[in-house]
Amino acid sequence: MHDDVHLTEGRVSRVLEERLWPAVHTTSAPVSVESHELPGEPIAVAEGLALTYEPFEVGSDWGPAWGTAWFRITGTVPAEWAGRRVELVCDLGFDVNKPGFQCEGLVYTPDGEPVKSLNPRNQWVLVAEEARGGEEIELFLEAAANPVLLDYHPFLPTQEGDIETSSPRKLYTTRRIELAVFERDVFELCLDLETLHELQVELPEGPRKFRILQAIDDALDRVDLQRIPETAASARSALTGALEATAHDSAHQIAAIGHAHIDSAWLWPMRETIRKVARTTSSMTELLGEDPDYGGVIRVRLGAFEVRTLRFRRAEE
């Protein structure tokens, strides 16, 4: 009997990484980007909004270690996007394998209200849940060029950990700043495939594992890689049975709780802790606004001691 498990595992991993995840934001439109890099320490938001901005070309470098760059982003939602969910997608030069230990950003409205953070695994900002088409946008982004200190070979000596010894060279290269349509069916298909793929990896050989693998193959057979948004819903339907199948009656019940762990000052100065808390809480409040069932925990630590735990959930309307 042939063992084809590795073929399906390789297929789903490759299609997810190379085709499906990129297709979540395939339809895009350009924006105008301007920037102002600060020569020293961060400044108050009101001062950042009032800076003089110069044109910035996406693909350019920014940010020496511990530096801050402010970006002003303006644009117009295309009329043909009416009725679609529109997001601003920003890749500041992220490495998705190192969230929390590299560049990050916080987006503000022109009035100085925080919108949400940007980080390696969260590179979008909602512009319109259901666009009218023709909306004018103006957003400001405070980007922190925190150096990567825990690299793929962690705890090696580095001079980037202190601003007095760090290199003045720019550490990050922007890859993408533009408006894009959010393809919900594609996004949900990615999550469904990842869930089942990771589940079958943990399962022992047996009927359930092989039913999941067959469902994954069936779903991928339904995806037209030249028409991913149009065929994503059909592919999802092939996974319904595998996703709805329950474990045996004696299986454990597991609850997942959102958890933000913030060290008060570990590999960054105290002022960066303040900004990290602002980025984290802004993203949490954004999620609270979008999902009535969302809740989570923020833990603030000082060294080895937990100082405060905050549990939150959206109040009943």
Side-chain angles (χ1 to χ4, degrees), residues 15 43 52 63 84 130 141-142 259 294 301:
V15 172
I43 59 178
T52 300
R84 309 295 300 277
E130 190 172 330
L141 167 60
E142 181 194 35
H259 173 200
Y294 181 80
R301 299 178 66 91

Side-chain angles (χ1 to χ4, degrees), residues 83-268:
R84 309 295 300 277
R85 178 181 168 109
V86 178
E87 297 176 348
L88 176 70
V89 181
C90 298
D91 184 345
L92 299 176
F94 296 124
D95 181 342
V96 296
N97 296 313
K98 294 189 179 65
F101 298 98
Q102 56 175 291
C103 63
E104 297 174 334
L106 181 53
V107 176
Y108 291 91
T109 67
D111 297 328
E113 290 295 320
V115 180
K116 69 179 292 290
S117 66
L118 296 172
N119 61 62
R121 297 184 184 176
N122 200 310
Q123 302 180 18
W124 58 271
V125 177
L126 178 63
V127 171
E129 181 62 52
E130 190 172 330
R132 301 186 310 275
E135 294 98 324
E136 299 291 331
I137 71 156
E138 180 182 24
L139 294 170
F140 290 81
L141 167 60
E142 181 194 35
N146 299 335
V148 176
L149 300 180
L150 292 181
D151 211 334
Y152 289 95
H153 301 286
F155 300 111
L156 292 178
T158 176
Q159 292 185 315
E160 304 292 1
D162 191 318
I163 195 170
E164 298 295 330
T165 59
S166 60
S167 168
R169 66 184 177 86
K170 295 185 177 182
L171 302 180
Y172 297 103
T173 303
T174 53
R175 297 192 188 98
R176 184 180 189 184
I177 302 178
E178 60 187 358
L179 294 174
V181 171
F182 173 71
E183 301 287 356
R184 186 173 298 279
D185 280 336
V186 179
F187 177 72
E188 298 289 351
L189 174 61
C190 290
L191 295 183
D192 290 348
L193 286 170
E194 280 197 344
T195 298
L196 290 173
H197 181 213
E198 292 172 4
L199 173 59
Q200 67 83 25
V201 167
E202 300 301 324
L203 289 173
E205 288 194 4
R208 190 177 188 201
K209 180 184 183 79
F210 295 121
R211 280 196 293 267
I212 290 173
L213 288 166
Q214 185 60 60
I216 289 174
D217 267 330
D218 292 343
L220 294 177
D221 287 343
R222 295 189 183 188
V223 178
D224 183 342
L225 295 181
Q226 308 305 317
R227 300 171 58 250
I228 292 174
E230 294 86 353
T231 56
S234 175
R236 289 193 71 200
S237 67
L239 300 172
T240 301
L243 289 167
E244 291 180 348
T246 57
H248 54 83
D249 292 339
S250 62
H252 293 292
Q253 298 292 317
I254 299 175
I257 301 173
H259 173 200
H261 175 112
I262 301 175
D263 289 282
S264 296
W266 180 39
L267 297 179
W268 42 76

Side-chain angles (χ1 to χ4, degrees), residues 289-302:
E290 286 204 39
D291 188 345
D293 294 325
Y294 181 80
V297 176
I298 297 177
R299 287 180 178 164
V300 181
R301 299 178 66 91
L302 182 61

